[in-house]
Amino acid sequence: MADPAPTPARRPLWIVAGLLPLAAAALWGASALTWEHSVRGRPGTDLTVTVDIPGGEVAPALVPLAVLAVAAVAGTLALSGLWRRLLGVVVALLGLVPVFQGLVEGTGFAGRALAVAGGALMLAAGAVLVLRGHRAPRLGGRYRSPGAVKEAARDEEDLWRALSEGEDPTR
């Protein structure tokens, strides 16, 4: 039977695993929407053409940041402790880029708003990783063998005590 709600230790992983793909989708969508209109004329004629400029051309960092957000999901699941916190710092800092670009560049509202939303989702995911990510379990941590768990729990004093009692601590 499936667990109806994630345990408190796993909740940050579920939050980050939900926020980052949403951020990636928002950033990718923002790169495809129109951010600016350009009026161009043909030399020697009175013809003018209005050209829509997508967000990917105005703010070229949107698509790479979307890819990074998806990759950060895998990094979140694979890392633990300090490394997961550092990943959170990187994700949060890079989340500032689309927020800044959405507020400063372009004239089209929808694309800019989607970029700001994607950046805000990255910021939120990074903040969760920094504040709570180090407590969440690592991918596959539940499937450690009993011997590996016992070995990790022993400290140096236990090893010396085992030697004194005639037990081989390397088994």
Side-chain angles (χ1 to χ4, degrees):
M1 189 158 122
D3 192 26
T7 62
R10 290 195 181 140
R11 195 165 291 130
L13 290 180
W14 284 104
I15 292 170
V16 171
L19 289 177
L20 286 174
L22 288 174
L27 294 173
W28 179 78
S31 73
L33 291 175
T34 300
W35 278 40
E36 290 182 356
H37 301 285
S38 175
V39 178
R40 299 182 182 158
R42 295 189 147 214
T45 65
D46 290 336
L47 290 173
T48 59
V49 178
T50 302
V51 178
D52 294 336
I53 302 173
E57 289 182 26
V58 176
L62 294 175
V63 173
L65 287 172
V67 172
L68 177 112
V70 172
V73 174
T76 298
L77 296 175
L79 299 174
S80 64
L82 177 66
W83 292 107
R84 194 178 280 167
R85 279 185 161 181
L86 289 175
L87 176 66
V89 169
V90 169
V91 167
L93 288 176
L94 290 176
L96 292 173
V97 173
V99 170
F100 177 75
Q101 288 179 333
L103 293 175
V104 173
E105 298 178 13
T107 57
F109 176 75
R112 293 173 46 215
L114 205 53
V116 170
L121 290 170
M122 283 183 72
L123 276 166
V128 169
L129 282 177
V130 169
L131 298 175
R132 296 254 172 141
H134 65 285
R135 294 184 197 147
R138 185 174 176 211
L139 179 69
R142 181 169 66 170
Y143 301 106
R144 291 175 36 186
S145 69
V149 171
K150 187 184 286 185
E151 186 66 30
R154 280 192 183 181
D155 59 0
E156 190 173 332
E157 185 178 324
D158 288 339
L159 293 175
W160 284 110
R161 189 178 306 124
L163 281 174
S164 298
E165 294 172 358
E167 182 183 333
D168 183 7
T170 59
R171 263 194 281 149

